[in-house]
PDB file of all heavy atoms in Angstrom:
ATOM      1  N   LYS A 260      51.897-232.043 -28.586  1.00  0.00           N
ATOM      2  CA  LYS A 260      50.594-231.628 -28.389  1.00  0.00           C
ATOM      3  C   LYS A 260      50.492-230.103 -28.084  1.00  0.00           C
ATOM      4  O   LYS A 260      51.391-229.541 -27.560  1.00  0.00           O
ATOM      5  CB  LYS A 260      50.068-232.324 -27.129  1.00  0.00           C
ATOM      6  CG  LYS A 260      49.709-233.817 -27.416  1.00  0.00           C
ATOM      7  CD  LYS A 260      49.163-234.448 -26.187  1.00  0.00           C
ATOM      8  CE  LYS A 260      48.888-236.022 -26.436  1.00  0.00           C
ATOM      9  NZ  LYS A 260      48.624-236.624 -25.146  1.00  0.00           N
ATOM     10  N   GLU A 261      49.362-229.556 -28.434  1.00  0.00           N
ATOM     11  CA  GLU A 261      49.040-228.126 -28.006  1.00  0.00           C
ATOM     12  C   GLU A 261      49.197-227.996 -26.513  1.00  0.00           C
ATOM     13  O   GLU A 261      48.811-228.990 -25.757  1.00  0.00           O
ATOM     14  CB  GLU A 261      47.629-227.689 -28.522  1.00  0.00           C
ATOM     15  CG  GLU A 261      47.389-227.748 -30.032  1.00  0.00           C
ATOM     16  CD  GLU A 261      48.196-226.748 -30.806  1.00  0.00           C
ATOM     17  OE1 GLU A 261      48.647-225.681 -30.274  1.00  0.00           O
ATOM     18  OE2 GLU A 261      48.510-227.057 -31.972  1.00  0.00           O
ATOM     19  N   ASN A 262      49.470-226.874 -26.067  1.00  0.00           N
ATOM     20  CA  ASN A 262      49.531-226.551 -24.654  1.00  0.00           C
ATOM     21  C   ASN A 262      50.469-227.519 -23.891  1.00  0.00           C
ATOM     22  O   ASN A 262      50.306-227.757 -22.588  1.00  0.00           O
ATOM     23  CB  ASN A 262      48.214-226.580 -24.032  1.00  0.00           C
ATOM     24  CG  ASN A 262      47.251-225.746 -24.728  1.00  0.00           C
ATOM     25  OD1 ASN A 262      47.712-224.591 -25.124  1.00  0.00           O
ATOM     26  ND2 ASN A 262      46.048-226.101 -24.987  1.00  0.00           N
ATOM     27  N   SER A 263      51.565-228.066 -24.526  1.00  0.00           N
ATOM     28  CA  SER A 263      52.501-228.856 -23.716  1.00  0.00           C
ATOM     29  C   SER A 263      53.263-227.975 -22.843  1.00  0.00           C
ATOM     30  O   SER A 263      53.523-226.699 -23.175  1.00  0.00           O
ATOM     31  CB  SER A 263      53.470-229.552 -24.717  1.00  0.00           C
ATOM     32  OG  SER A 263      52.872-230.470 -25.427  1.00  0.00           O
ATOM     33  N   GLU A 264      53.586-228.432 -21.623  1.00  0.00           N
ATOM     34  CA  GLU A 264      54.305-227.623 -20.771  1.00  0.00           C
ATOM     35  C   GLU A 264      55.815-227.473 -21.186  1.00  0.00           C
ATOM     36  O   GLU A 264      56.405-228.360 -21.824  1.00  0.00           O
ATOM     37  CB  GLU A 264      54.477-228.244 -19.327  1.00  0.00           C
ATOM     38  CG  GLU A 264      54.032-227.239 -18.188  1.00  0.00           C
ATOM     39  CD  GLU A 264      53.832-227.946 -16.927  1.00  0.00           C
ATOM     40  OE1 GLU A 264      53.001-228.829 -16.742  1.00  0.00           O
ATOM     41  OE2 GLU A 264      54.543-227.582 -16.047  1.00  0.00           O
ATOM     42  N   LYS A 265      56.355-226.235 -21.018  1.00  0.00           N
ATOM     43  CA  LYS A 265      57.700-225.933 -21.513  1.00  0.00           C
ATOM     44  C   LYS A 265      58.705-225.789 -20.372  1.00  0.00           C
ATOM     45  O   LYS A 265      58.361-225.041 -19.382  1.00  0.00           O
ATOM     46  CB  LYS A 265      57.683-224.681 -22.503  1.00  0.00           C
ATOM     47  CG  LYS A 265      56.849-224.938 -23.799  1.00  0.00           C
ATOM     48  CD  LYS A 265      56.793-223.728 -24.604  1.00  0.00           C
ATOM     49  CE  LYS A 265      56.248-224.091 -26.033  1.00  0.00           C
ATOM     50  NZ  LYS A 265      54.774-224.591 -25.852  1.00  0.00           N
ATOM     51  N   TYR A 266      59.868-226.332 -20.649  1.00  0.00           N
ATOM     52  CA  TYR A 266      60.915-226.143 -19.703  1.00  0.00           C
ATOM     53  C   TYR A 266      62.197-225.675 -20.389  1.00  0.00           C
ATOM     54  O   TYR A 266      62.444-225.930 -21.539  1.00  0.00           O
ATOM     55  CB  TYR A 266      61.253-227.572 -18.922  1.00  0.00           C
ATOM     56  CG  TYR A 266      60.210-228.193 -18.221  1.00  0.00           C
ATOM     57  CD1 TYR A 266      59.183-228.915 -18.957  1.00  0.00           C
ATOM     58  CD2 TYR A 266      60.099-228.027 -16.860  1.00  0.00           C
ATOM     59  CE1 TYR A 266      58.156-229.428 -18.221  1.00  0.00           C
ATOM     60  CE2 TYR A 266      59.023-228.619 -16.162  1.00  0.00           C
ATOM     61  CZ  TYR A 266      58.002-229.328 -16.884  1.00  0.00           C
ATOM     62  OH  TYR A 266      57.000-229.913 -16.153  1.00  0.00           O
ATOM     63  N   VAL A 267      62.972-224.903 -19.738  1.00  0.00           N
ATOM     64  CA  VAL A 267      64.299-224.491 -20.097  1.00  0.00           C
ATOM     65  C   VAL A 267      65.413-225.178 -19.299  1.00  0.00           C
ATOM     66  O   VAL A 267      65.276-225.060 -18.070  1.00  0.00           O
ATOM     67  CB  VAL A 267      64.517-222.937 -20.057  1.00  0.00           C
ATOM     68  CG1 VAL A 267      65.770-222.468 -20.596  1.00  0.00           C
ATOM     69  CG2 VAL A 267      63.324-222.283 -20.919  1.00  0.00           C
ATOM     70  N   ILE A 268      66.309-225.810 -19.987  1.00  0.00           N
ATOM     71  CA  ILE A 268      67.498-226.425 -19.207  1.00  0.00           C
ATOM     72  C   ILE A 268      68.657-225.554 -19.491  1.00  0.00           C
ATOM     73  O   ILE A 268      69.243-225.637 -20.684  1.00  0.00           O
ATOM     74  CB  ILE A 268      67.700-227.835 -19.591  1.00  0.00           C
ATOM     75  CG1 ILE A 268      66.424-228.677 -19.053  1.00  0.00           C
ATOM     76  CG2 ILE A 268      68.969-228.347 -18.891  1.00  0.00           C
ATOM     77  CD1 ILE A 268      66.639-230.125 -19.222  1.00  0.00           C
ATOM     78  N   GLU A 269      69.168-224.737 -18.535  1.00  0.00           N
ATOM     79  CA  GLU A 269      70.276-223.717 -18.768  1.00  0.00           C
ATOM     80  C   GLU A 269      71.597-224.339 -18.316  1.00  0.00           C
ATOM     81  O   GLU A 269      72.634-223.860 -18.905  1.00  0.00           O
ATOM     82  CB  GLU A 269      69.923-222.476 -17.921  1.00  0.00           C
ATOM     83  CG  GLU A 269      68.759-221.635 -18.529  1.00  0.00           C
ATOM     84  CD  GLU A 269      68.458-220.543 -17.569  1.00  0.00           C
ATOM     85  OE1 GLU A 269      68.636-220.616 -16.357  1.00  0.00           O
ATOM     86  OE2 GLU A 269      67.759-219.520 -18.088  1.00  0.00           O
ATOM     87  N   THR A 270      71.503-225.157 -17.417  1.00  0.00           N
ATOM     88  CA  THR A 270      72.814-225.824 -17.004  1.00  0.00           C
ATOM     89  C   THR A 270      72.607-227.297 -16.667  1.00  0.00           C
ATOM     90  O   THR A 270      71.623-227.760 -16.257  1.00  0.00           O
ATOM     91  CB  THR A 270      73.228-225.047 -15.685  1.00  0.00           C
ATOM     92  OG1 THR A 270      74.371-225.790 -15.191  1.00  0.00           O
ATOM     93  CG2 THR A 270      72.222-224.954 -14.655  1.00  0.00           C
ATOM     94  N   LEU A 271      73.768-228.043 -16.870  1.00  0.00           N
ATOM     95  CA  LEU A 271      73.685-229.486 -16.570  1.00  0.00           C
ATOM     96  C   LEU A 271      74.315-229.806 -15.318  1.00  0.00           C
ATOM     97  O   LEU A 271      74.505-230.950 -14.826  1.00  0.00           O
ATOM     98  CB  LEU A 271      74.444-230.283 -17.584  1.00  0.00           C
ATOM     99  CG  LEU A 271      73.966-230.067 -19.055  1.00  0.00           C
ATOM    100  CD1 LEU A 271      74.877-230.739 -20.015  1.00  0.00           C
ATOM    101  CD2 LEU A 271      72.529-230.537 -19.320  1.00  0.00           C
ATOM    102  N   LYS A 272      74.735-228.675 -14.501  1.00  0.00           N
ATOM    103  CA  LYS A 272      75.477-228.853 -13.251  1.00  0.00           C
ATOM    104  C   LYS A 272      74.864-229.807 -12.305  1.00  0.00           C
ATOM    105  O   LYS A 272      75.411-230.691 -11.649  1.00  0.00           O
ATOM    106  CB  LYS A 272      75.794-227.532 -12.676  1.00  0.00           C
ATOM    107  CG  LYS A 272      76.910-227.742 -11.403  1.00  0.00           C
ATOM    108  CD  LYS A 272      77.333-226.444 -10.909  1.00  0.00           C
ATOM    109  CE  LYS A 272      78.239-226.705  -9.708  1.00  0.00           C
ATOM    110  NZ  LYS A 272      77.680-227.392  -8.591  1.00  0.00           N
ATOM    111  N   PRO A 273      73.412-229.617 -12.070  1.00  0.00           N
ATOM    112  CA  PRO A 273      72.719-230.510 -11.025  1.00  0.00           C
ATOM    113  C   PRO A 273      72.884-231.915 -11.405  1.00  0.00           C
ATOM    114  O   PRO A 273      73.010-232.806 -10.483  1.00  0.00           O
ATOM    115  CB  PRO A 273      71.297-230.098 -11.140  1.00  0.00           C
ATOM    116  CG  PRO A 273      71.257-228.679 -11.773  1.00  0.00           C
ATOM    117  CD  PRO A 273      72.500-228.637 -12.628  1.00  0.00           C
ATOM    118  N   ALA A 274      72.905-232.325 -12.708  1.00  0.00           N
ATOM    119  CA  ALA A 274      73.055-233.711 -13.037  1.00  0.00           C
ATOM    120  C   ALA A 274      74.567-234.169 -12.788  1.00  0.00           C
ATOM    121  O   ALA A 274      74.753-235.334 -12.105  1.00  0.00           O
ATOM    122  CB  ALA A 274      72.758-233.925 -14.505  1.00  0.00           C
ATOM    123  N   TYR A 275      75.546-233.351 -13.187  1.00  0.00           N
ATOM    124  CA  TYR A 275      76.911-233.726 -12.878  1.00  0.00           C
ATOM    125  C   TYR A 275      77.121-233.855 -11.285  1.00  0.00           C
ATOM    126  O   TYR A 275      77.899-234.767 -10.863  1.00  0.00           O
ATOM    127  CB  TYR A 275      77.892-232.717 -13.509  1.00  0.00           C
ATOM    128  CG  TYR A 275      78.188-232.892 -14.922  1.00  0.00           C
ATOM    129  CD1 TYR A 275      77.482-232.440 -15.851  1.00  0.00           C
ATOM    130  CD2 TYR A 275      79.194-233.846 -15.275  1.00  0.00           C
ATOM    131  CE1 TYR A 275      77.720-232.703 -17.214  1.00  0.00           C
ATOM    132  CE2 TYR A 275      79.581-234.190 -16.604  1.00  0.00           C
ATOM    133  CZ  TYR A 275      78.712-233.514 -17.602  1.00  0.00           C
ATOM    134  OH  TYR A 275      79.051-233.809 -18.912  1.00  0.00           O
ATOM    135  N   ASP A 276      76.386-233.170 -10.533  1.00  0.00           N
ATOM    136  CA  ASP A 276      76.556-233.288  -9.055  1.00  0.00           C
ATOM    137  C   ASP A 276      76.023-234.666  -8.567  1.00  0.00           C
ATOM    138  O   ASP A 276      76.496-235.251  -7.751  1.00  0.00           O
ATOM    139  CB  ASP A 276      75.811-232.175  -8.363  1.00  0.00           C
ATOM    140  CG  ASP A 276      76.418-230.797  -8.580  1.00  0.00           C
ATOM    141  OD1 ASP A 276      77.680-230.808  -8.858  1.00  0.00           O
ATOM    142  OD2 ASP A 276      75.918-229.794  -8.228  1.00  0.00           O
ATOM    143  N   ILE A 277      74.871-235.032  -9.170  1.00  0.00           N
ATOM    144  CA  ILE A 277      74.263-236.296  -8.821  1.00  0.00           C
ATOM    145  C   ILE A 277      75.209-237.476  -9.239  1.00  0.00           C
ATOM    146  O   ILE A 277      75.294-238.530  -8.558  1.00  0.00           O
ATOM    147  CB  ILE A 277      72.895-236.575  -9.473  1.00  0.00           C
ATOM    148  CG1 ILE A 277      71.897-235.580  -8.999  1.00  0.00           C
ATOM    149  CG2 ILE A 277      72.349-237.910  -9.435  1.00  0.00           C
ATOM    150  CD1 ILE A 277      70.589-235.483  -9.749  1.00  0.00           C
ATOM    151  N   LEU A 278      75.828-237.316 -10.396  1.00  0.00           N
ATOM    152  CA  LEU A 278      76.568-238.467 -11.008  1.00  0.00           C
ATOM    153  C   LEU A 278      77.934-238.569 -10.437  1.00  0.00           C
ATOM    154  O   LEU A 278      78.662-239.592 -10.574  1.00  0.00           O
ATOM    155  CB  LEU A 278      76.664-238.238 -12.506  1.00  0.00           C
ATOM    156  CG  LEU A 278      75.181-238.272 -13.169  1.00  0.00           C
ATOM    157  CD1 LEU A 278      75.312-237.870 -14.634  1.00  0.00           C
ATOM    158  CD2 LEU A 278      74.474-239.564 -13.129  1.00  0.00           C
ATOM    159  N   ASN A 279      78.539-237.460  -9.815  1.00  0.00           N
ATOM    160  CA  ASN A 279      79.906-237.477  -9.369  1.00  0.00           C
ATOM    161  C   ASN A 279      79.855-237.629  -7.803  1.00  0.00           C
ATOM    162  O   ASN A 279      79.786-236.667  -7.136  1.00  0.00           O
ATOM    163  CB  ASN A 279      80.596-236.234  -9.755  1.00  0.00           C
ATOM    164  CG  ASN A 279      81.124-236.346 -11.187  1.00  0.00           C
ATOM    165  OD1 ASN A 279      82.198-236.982 -11.425  1.00  0.00           O
ATOM    166  ND2 ASN A 279      80.560-235.634 -12.081  1.00  0.00           N
ATOM    167  N   THR A 280      79.728-238.882  -7.342  1.00  0.00           N
ATOM    168  CA  THR A 280      79.700-239.118  -5.833  1.00  0.00           C
ATOM    169  C   THR A 280      81.037-239.442  -5.259  1.00  0.00           C
ATOM    170  O   THR A 280      81.235-239.431  -4.097  1.00  0.00           O
ATOM    171  CB  THR A 280      78.662-240.189  -5.498  1.00  0.00           C
ATOM    172  OG1 THR A 280      79.167-241.451  -6.248  1.00  0.00           O
ATOM    173  CG2 THR A 280      77.311-239.852  -6.077  1.00  0.00           C
ATOM    174  N   GLY A 281      82.049-239.998  -6.148  1.00  0.00           N
ATOM    175  CA  GLY A 281      83.173-240.515  -5.573  1.00  0.00           C
ATOM    176  C   GLY A 281      84.378-239.449  -5.481  1.00  0.00           C
ATOM    177  O   GLY A 281      84.086-238.314  -5.804  1.00  0.00           O
ATOM    178  N   GLY A 282      85.407-239.999  -4.930  1.00  0.00           N
ATOM    179  CA  GLY A 282      86.571-239.017  -4.722  1.00  0.00           C
ATOM    180  C   GLY A 282      87.471-239.088  -6.107  1.00  0.00           C
ATOM    181  O   GLY A 282      86.888-239.589  -7.197  1.00  0.00           O
ATOM    182  N   ASP A 283      88.709-238.541  -5.992  1.00  0.00           N
ATOM    183  CA  ASP A 283      89.610-238.485  -7.117  1.00  0.00           C
ATOM    184  C   ASP A 283      90.312-239.739  -7.428  1.00  0.00           C
ATOM    185  O   ASP A 283      90.814-239.979  -8.537  1.00  0.00           O
ATOM    186  CB  ASP A 283      90.500-237.361  -7.035  1.00  0.00           C
ATOM    187  CG  ASP A 283      89.779-236.080  -7.146  1.00  0.00           C
ATOM    188  OD1 ASP A 283      88.652-235.921  -7.688  1.00  0.00           O
ATOM    189  OD2 ASP A 283      90.325-234.999  -6.570  1.00  0.00           O
ATOM    190  N   LYS A 284      90.395-240.689  -6.431  1.00  0.00           N
ATOM    191  CA  LYS A 284      91.091-241.950  -6.714  1.00  0.00           C
ATOM    192  C   LYS A 284      90.115-242.960  -7.469  1.00  0.00           C
ATOM    193  O   LYS A 284      89.100-243.193  -6.816  1.00  0.00           O
ATOM    194  CB  LYS A 284      91.606-242.480  -5.427  1.00  0.00           C
ATOM    195  CG  LYS A 284      92.467-243.715  -5.645  1.00  0.00           C
ATOM    196  CD  LYS A 284      92.973-244.401  -4.346  1.00  0.00           C
ATOM    197  CE  LYS A 284      93.431-245.850  -4.496  1.00  0.00           C
ATOM    198  NZ  LYS A 284      92.378-246.761  -4.957  1.00  0.00           N
ATOM    199  N   ILE A 285      90.529-243.347  -8.567  1.00  0.00           N
ATOM    200  CA  ILE A 285      89.660-244.272  -9.423  1.00  0.00           C
ATOM    201  C   ILE A 285      90.165-245.755  -9.328  1.00  0.00           C
ATOM    202  O   ILE A 285      91.441-245.914  -9.537  1.00  0.00           O
ATOM    203  CB  ILE A 285      89.496-243.777 -10.874  1.00  0.00           C
ATOM    204  CG1 ILE A 285      89.080-242.285 -10.887  1.00  0.00           C
ATOM    205  CG2 ILE A 285      88.658-244.687 -11.670  1.00  0.00           C
ATOM    206  CD1 ILE A 285      87.753-242.018 -10.347  1.00  0.00           C
ATOM    207  N   ASP A 286      89.292-246.718  -9.070  1.00  0.00           N
ATOM    208  CA  ASP A 286      89.703-248.077  -9.015  1.00  0.00           C
ATOM    209  C   ASP A 286      89.571-248.898 -10.347  1.00  0.00           C
ATOM    210  O   ASP A 286      89.970-249.894 -10.587  1.00  0.00           O
ATOM    211  CB  ASP A 286      89.005-248.862  -7.927  1.00  0.00           C
ATOM    212  CG  ASP A 286      89.097-248.205  -6.676  1.00  0.00           C
ATOM    213  OD1 ASP A 286      90.242-247.812  -6.249  1.00  0.00           O
ATOM    214  OD2 ASP A 286      88.069-247.779  -6.010  1.00  0.00           O
ATOM    215  N   PHE A 287      88.524-248.373 -11.125  1.00  0.00           N
ATOM    216  CA  PHE A 287      87.979-249.051 -12.337  1.00  0.00           C
ATOM    217  C   PHE A 287      87.346-248.173 -13.241  1.00  0.00           C
ATOM    218  O   PHE A 287      86.747-247.170 -12.759  1.00  0.00           O
ATOM    219  CB  PHE A 287      86.957-250.069 -11.668  1.00  0.00           C
ATOM    220  CG  PHE A 287      86.255-251.007 -12.730  1.00  0.00           C
ATOM    221  CD1 PHE A 287      87.043-251.917 -13.459  1.00  0.00           C
ATOM    222  CD2 PHE A 287      84.825-250.952 -12.811  1.00  0.00           C
ATOM    223  CE1 PHE A 287      86.325-252.816 -14.259  1.00  0.00           C
ATOM    224  CE2 PHE A 287      84.230-251.770 -13.733  1.00  0.00           C
ATOM    225  CZ  PHE A 287      84.948-252.794 -14.512  1.00  0.00           C
ATOM    226  N   VAL A 288      87.515-248.409 -14.566  1.00  0.00           N
ATOM    227  CA  VAL A 288      86.936-247.628 -15.569  1.00  0.00           C
ATOM    228  C   VAL A 288      86.085-248.536 -16.381  1.00  0.00           C
ATOM    229  O   VAL A 288      86.442-249.484 -16.798  1.00  0.00           O
ATOM    230  CB  VAL A 288      87.932-246.924 -16.490  1.00  0.00           C
ATOM    231  CG1 VAL A 288      87.256-246.029 -17.550  1.00  0.00           C
ATOM    232  CG2 VAL A 288      88.753-245.855 -15.544  1.00  0.00           C
ATOM    233  N   SER A 289      84.707-248.041 -16.693  1.00  0.00           N
ATOM    234  CA  SER A 289      83.796-248.839 -17.319  1.00  0.00           C
ATOM    235  C   SER A 289      83.136-247.936 -18.270  1.00  0.00           C
ATOM    236  O   SER A 289      82.492-246.950 -18.105  1.00  0.00           O
ATOM    237  CB  SER A 289      82.797-249.358 -16.350  1.00  0.00           C
ATOM    238  OG  SER A 289      81.785-250.177 -17.126  1.00  0.00           O
TER     239      SER A 289
END
Side-chain angles (χ1 to χ4, degrees):
Chain A
K260 281 187 190 164
E261 298 295 332
N262 305 321
S263 291
E264 226 169 306
K265 292 185 173 58
Y266 299 85
V267 178
I268 295 184
E269 291 171 332
T270 170
L271 303 174
K272 191 177 176 296
Y275 276 89
D276 289 345
I277 292 169
L278 301 169
N279 280 284
T280 59
D283 290 339
K284 187 185 163 292
I285 306 296
D286 307 304
F287 179 64
V288 175
S289 180

